């Protein structure tokens, strides 16, 4: 099961390769730029005078820019790529675009701000009626495309850390980011006065809420979007955590005359489909249960434990906790597949991430129960290869890990939000999943494999 699950995870990450998604999406002729996506196609008129300016940011920025440069060929005029500053990061010599690095540990920093400033100068310098600004946006873009407005970077960091530590999900976090930024929430469009805007997006959000992908820098804010943002940022649950100085700086975006084309070219649905195809070929009765898994990571770990402890005939009922269902009776060898993004409430000074915490919670719950278990595997991992501020994507467990004497230790690590250290030391780190940065980001996946025969 271990090999099958880890191979399946790799297959799902490969399926949402940003390079492939962009390469398949863009087609340029002498008369048109056509963008293809799962939801249809968009065509933009071009002429011999048309020039393209790339602005790419996010964990997939280098791969997306590489594909875009290949498709645009000699029509590329200038490009700025802002990529994560991770171990081994370096400029890509084959790119014509200038490459900047920032956001070490997945948090905005002075390098992010400086790179964003360069990107904005590029936009203003090249703005003309012959320009098409091609934005390539992926998860992690909020930390890389960063221009605090009215507050310092340190104040913005503290704001986001405070909200995240108290369980704020990505919609809440990005709503606050938008209101404290000069580029997020559609504000980047205000830097374009004459040119056209086309944005290709790799979605890392539940339900593909386009206004929250990388905090929506190229998304005009509709009335419903503004209302949603207002409801989230005015809730006492969050405003009570922040000082008046920050609350007084929250700003809505100014309207822009630019009518951009924003197109999603990759999402969690593609990744889950690849998981299902691979595991079906391995002989599993594979089912996609949900692509919108949310909630607290620790609680979801307990829910997965309850699912694993359910008898075969009780699985359909157990799946109701995940708002999922399966038609008909499940087979003897089952693969249940989930996607989404949970949250963590930080309870100590430890180090971890939602996938590692979820798996640890699942293990602690299983180990504290005397219920019989089928042969099983549970895996939770982030498709970006980076679960929280760590170098691990997640972790997995099987029957051999469920030991009564591990409950106390697992619980102690959970209570201090120190799941990374647990998985680093447990079993010599063998249960840790460390593929390195995958270059993509379409949220997290969870795999439950169960064999009711062996």
């Amino acid at each position: 099961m271990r090999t099958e699950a880890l191979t399946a995870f790799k297959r799902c990450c490969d399926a949402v390769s940003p390079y492939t998604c962009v390469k398949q999406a863009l087609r340029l002729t002498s008369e048109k730029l056509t963008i293809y996506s799962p939801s249809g196609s968009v065509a933009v008129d071009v002429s011999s005078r048309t020039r393209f300016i790339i602005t790419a940011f996010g964990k997939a920025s280098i791969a997306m820019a590489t594909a875009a440069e290949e498709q645009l060929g000699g029509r590329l005029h200038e490009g700025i790529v802002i990529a994560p500053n991770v171990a081994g990061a370096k400029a890509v010599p084959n790119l014509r675009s200038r490459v900047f690095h920032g956001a070490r540990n997945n948090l905005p920093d002075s390098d992010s701000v400086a790179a964003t400033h360069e990107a904005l100068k590029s936009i203003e310098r090249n703005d003309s009626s012959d320009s098409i600004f091609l934005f390539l946006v992926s998860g992690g873009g909020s930390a890389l495309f960063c221009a605090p407005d009215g507050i310092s970077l340190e104040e913005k960091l503290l704001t986001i850390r405070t909200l995240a530590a108290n369980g704020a999900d990505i919609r809440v976090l990005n709503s606050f980011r938008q209101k404290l930024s000069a580029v997020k929430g559609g504000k980047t469009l205000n830097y374009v006065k004459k040119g056209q805007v086309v944005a290709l997006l790799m979605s890392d959000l539940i339900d593909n809420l386009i206004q929250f992908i990388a905090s929506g820098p190229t998304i005009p804010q509709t009335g419903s979007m503004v209302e949603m943002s207002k409801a989230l940022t005015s809730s006492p649950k969050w405003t009570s955590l922040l000082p008046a100085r920050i609350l007084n700086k929250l700003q809505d975006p100014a309207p822009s005359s630019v009518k951009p084309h924003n197109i999603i070219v990759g999402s969690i649905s593609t990744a889950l489909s690849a998981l299902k195809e691979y595991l079906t070929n391995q002989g599993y009765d594979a089912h996609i249960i949900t692509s919108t898994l949310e909630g607290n990571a620790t609680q979801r770990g307990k829910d997965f434990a309850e699912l694993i402890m359910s008898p075969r005939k009780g699985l359909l009922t157990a799946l109701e906790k995940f708002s999922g269902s399966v038609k008909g009776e499940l087979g003897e060898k089952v693969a249940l597949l989930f996607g989404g993004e949970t949250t963590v409430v930080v309870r100590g000074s430890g180090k971890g991430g939602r996938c590692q915490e979820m798996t640890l919670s699942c293990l602690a719950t299983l180990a504290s129960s005397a219920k019989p278990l089928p042969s099983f595997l549970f895996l939770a991992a982030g498709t970006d290869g980076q679960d929280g501020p760590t170098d691990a994507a997640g972790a997995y467990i099987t029957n051999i890990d469920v030991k009564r004497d591990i409950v106390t230790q697992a619980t102690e690590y959970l209570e201090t939000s120190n799941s990374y250290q647990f998985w680093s030391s447990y079993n010599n780190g063998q249960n840790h999943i460390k593929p390195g940065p995958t270059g993509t980001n379409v949220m997290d996946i969870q795999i439950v494999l169960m064999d009711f025969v062996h």
Side-chain angles (χ1 to χ4, degrees):
M1 283 185 174
R2 175 185 180 276
T3 299
E4 292 169 331
L6 293 177
T7 301
F9 175 60
K10 184 180 185 305
R11 292 288 182 91
C12 91
C13 292
D14 290 344
V16 284
S17 156
Y19 174 86
T20 302
C21 290
V22 172
K23 188 86 170 179
Q24 293 176 344
L26 286 179
R27 292 291 182 275
L28 178 63
T29 67
S30 59
E31 297 180 346
K32 288 188 183 297
L33 172 71
T34 306
I35 306 100
Y36 298 92
S37 76
S39 60
S41 63
V42 173
V44 179
D45 292 334
V46 301
S47 71
S48 59
R49 299 187 305 276
T50 301
R51 57 184 188 172
F52 290 89
I53 296 89
I54 286 176
T55 305
F57 45 88
K59 295 177 181 178
S61 58
I62 288 178
M64 294 179 80
T66 300
E69 286 194 3
E70 291 177 5
Q71 296 302 83
L72 297 177
R75 305 295 291 277
L76 174 65
H77 180 71
E78 185 177 351
I80 299 284
V81 177
I82 312 175
N85 187 355
V86 296
K90 59 182 180 179
V92 180
N94 291 331
L95 277 180
R96 285 171 284 161
S97 299
R98 288 186 289 158
V99 179
F100 298 83
H101 291 94
R104 185 178 293 277
N105 294 323
N106 207 24
L107 295 170
D109 53 22
S110 58
D111 291 334
S112 306
V113 174
T116 302
H117 182 62
E118 287 298 316
L120 295 177
K121 287 198 298 183
S122 171
I123 293 170
E124 292 180 321
R125 179 171 60 248
N126 291 297
D127 191 20
S128 78
S129 58
D130 294 325
S131 296
I132 294 180
F133 294 98
L134 180 61
F135 288 85
L136 305 171
V137 185
S138 55
S142 290
L144 289 162
F145 198 58
C146 179
D149 189 13
I151 62 172
S152 68
L153 175 61
E154 290 71 24
E155 287 176 312
K156 190 170 184 180
L157 272 171
L158 180 59
T159 298
I160 299 305
R161 281 174 174 154
T162 299
L163 294 168
N166 284 276
D169 66 17
I170 195 66
R171 287 166 291 195
V172 174
L173 296 177
N174 284 2
S175 290
F176 276 95
R177 284 173 172 139
Q178 289 172 349
K179 290 179 177 291
L180 295 170
S181 171
V183 294
K184 295 175 170 63
K187 296 175 187 176
T188 298
L189 299 175
N190 294 323
Y191 292 86
V192 180
K193 308 298 182 184
K194 302 174 183 177
Q196 298 184 73
V197 171
V198 174
L200 306 187
L201 304 102
M202 296 289 295
S203 174
D204 63 338
L205 287 180
I206 298 287
D207 288 333
N208 292 331
L209 288 172
I210 198 167
Q211 72 269 33
F212 293 132
I213 299 173
S215 299
T218 62
I219 311 299
Q221 300 297 287
T222 64
S224 60
M225 291 179 184
V226 171
E227 285 302 312
M228 178 185 288
S229 177
K230 182 179 179 181
L232 292 171
T233 56
S234 62
S235 168
K237 180 178 181 180
W238 311 119
T239 57
S240 62
L241 301 171
L242 304 176
R245 166 172 165 71
I246 298 299
L247 297 176
N248 290 336
K249 294 294 182 178
L250 301 179
Q251 297 180 24
D252 290 326
S256 168
S257 60
V258 176
K259 305 298 181 185
H261 298 285
N262 289 287
I263 302 125
I264 293 175
V265 295
S267 70
I268 189 66
S269 297
T270 307
L272 289 172
S273 294
L275 278 180
K276 181 179 179 181
E277 180 181 5
Y278 172 76
L279 290 168
T280 297
N281 290 337
Q282 301 306 304
Y284 285 91
D285 180 16
H287 298 270
I288 297 172
I289 304 303
T290 182
S291 61
T292 60
L293 185 70
E294 296 182 278
N296 176 269
T298 298
Q299 180 57 51
R300 281 308 192 185
K302 295 176 181 178
D303 293 341
F304 277 112
E306 292 294 332
L307 176 65
I308 293 166
M309 290 187 288
S310 299
R312 181 181 169 195
K313 292 184 178 180
L315 284 177
L316 298 182
T317 300
L319 286 173
E320 292 176 0
K321 281 191 176 181
F322 300 93
S323 300
S325 62
V326 175
K327 293 182 180 180
E329 186 176 345
L330 290 167
E332 295 178 335
K333 191 178 177 183
V334 180
L336 304 176
L337 311 173
F338 307 76
E341 191 165 278
T342 57
T343 58
V344 170
V345 176
V346 178
R347 296 183 292 274
S349 58
K351 183 178 182 181
R354 52 188 176 258
C355 293
Q356 295 165 88
E357 179 161 318
M358 184 187 296
T359 308
L360 184 55
S361 174
C362 183
L363 175 60
T365 305
L366 291 173
S368 63
S369 172
K371 290 183 179 180
L373 299 174
S375 178
F376 84 93
L377 177 142
F378 174 67
L379 177 152
T383 56
D384 58 357
Q386 186 179 16
D387 184 36
T390 77
D391 62 352
Y396 75 91
I397 55 173
T398 66
N399 297 75
I400 63 174
D401 302 304
V402 181
K403 307 165 188 174
R404 190 76 178 178
D405 60 2
I406 206 170
V407 175
T408 300
Q409 182 187 19
T411 302
E412 289 175 352
Y413 278 88
L414 280 171
E415 289 176 348
T416 56
S417 298
N418 202 18
S419 57
Y420 178 83
Q421 187 57 47
F422 176 89
W423 293 116
S424 293
S425 58
Y426 174 73
N427 194 23
N428 294 318
Q430 293 300 304
N431 293 60
H432 238 160
I433 302 170
K434 292 188 175 183
T438 62
T440 192
N441 185 16
V442 292
M443 299 190 290
D444 306 331
I445 60 98
Q446 294 82 29
I447 301 173
V448 177
L449 302 181
M450 289 185 284
D451 189 336
F452 292 97
V453 177
H454 300 97

